Amino acid sequence: MTPIARIRERFLDFRSRLYNLHDLAAVDDHLHPEFSSHSANVRPLLEAARSSGASHIDVRPAYKEFVKTFYTGLPDLKPVHQEVLVEDEGLMAMTQWEATHTGVFFGVPATGKALHFSTADRYRLQDGLLVEHWDVVDALEAWLALGIVVRPGAA
């Protein structure tokens, strides 16, 4: 297996274990202890973990807490289509997700509605682990389904 194929397979293993199997140990196996994220959803949790003042903080427990919000609100969340591109020490994943909203998610009580959204995630790798993250989340259809956003002109 080529190094690029190995990186791709490790990333798909990370996603499968985390979202299909709800295996939080995947975070320890795939995220670097100094993991950082530029995501508006993830960054506040990681910054809170680092605010203790210690010189070296492992933020993986905070990342696990972030993932648990999905287990609570969208327990059947799964990536239904993933395109993963690997180049040098970087990885890009374009993903289409689907889930059923059966629990509180970002403060919204369960609706039972099917949700669909897409993400574009960019990762930097270090020592074979995910160490830095950026993302773009297209959740408009999910927010419409939940009633968080209403189309202009809708009754």
Side-chain angles (χ1 to χ4, degrees), residues 32-48:
H32 194 281
E34 296 175 12
F35 179 78
S36 66
S37 179
H38 304 278
S39 167
N41 292 321
V42 180
R43 186 180 56 246
L45 289 170
L46 302 184
E47 288 174 354

Side-chain angles (χ1 to χ4, degrees), residues 76-91:
D76 65 346
L77 175 67
K78 63 181 174 272
V80 291
H81 178 74
Q82 297 185 88
E83 187 163 334
V84 180
L85 306 171
V86 178
E87 184 177 275
D88 300 322
E89 291 298 309
L91 179 150

Side-chain angles (χ1 to χ4, degrees), residues 13-57:
D13 174 69
F14 170 65
R15 284 267 178 93
S16 177
R17 286 176 55 197
L18 206 54
Y19 296 106
N20 296 338
L21 303 176
H22 290 199
D23 177 7
L24 289 171
V27 172
D28 299 319
D29 295 341
H30 293 277
L31 262 60
H32 194 281
E34 296 175 12
F35 179 78
S36 66
S37 179
H38 304 278
S39 167
N41 292 321
V42 180
R43 186 180 56 246
L45 289 170
L46 302 184
E47 288 174 354
R50 288 189 174 101
S51 68
S52 70
S55 60
H56 175 67
I57 299 293

Side-chain angles (χ1 to χ4, degrees), residues 66-110:
F66 168 73
V67 172
K68 286 179 187 178
T69 65
F70 291 95
Y71 294 172
T72 300
L74 311 171
D76 65 346
L77 175 67
K78 63 181 174 272
V80 291
H81 178 74
Q82 297 185 88
E83 187 163 334
V84 180
L85 306 171
V86 178
E87 184 177 275
D88 300 322
E89 291 298 309
L91 179 150
M92 181 76 184
M94 304 291 289
T95 309
Q96 294 173 342
W97 301 85
E98 65 180 33
T100 310
H101 182 222
T102 58
V104 176
F105 185 64
F106 285 106
V108 178

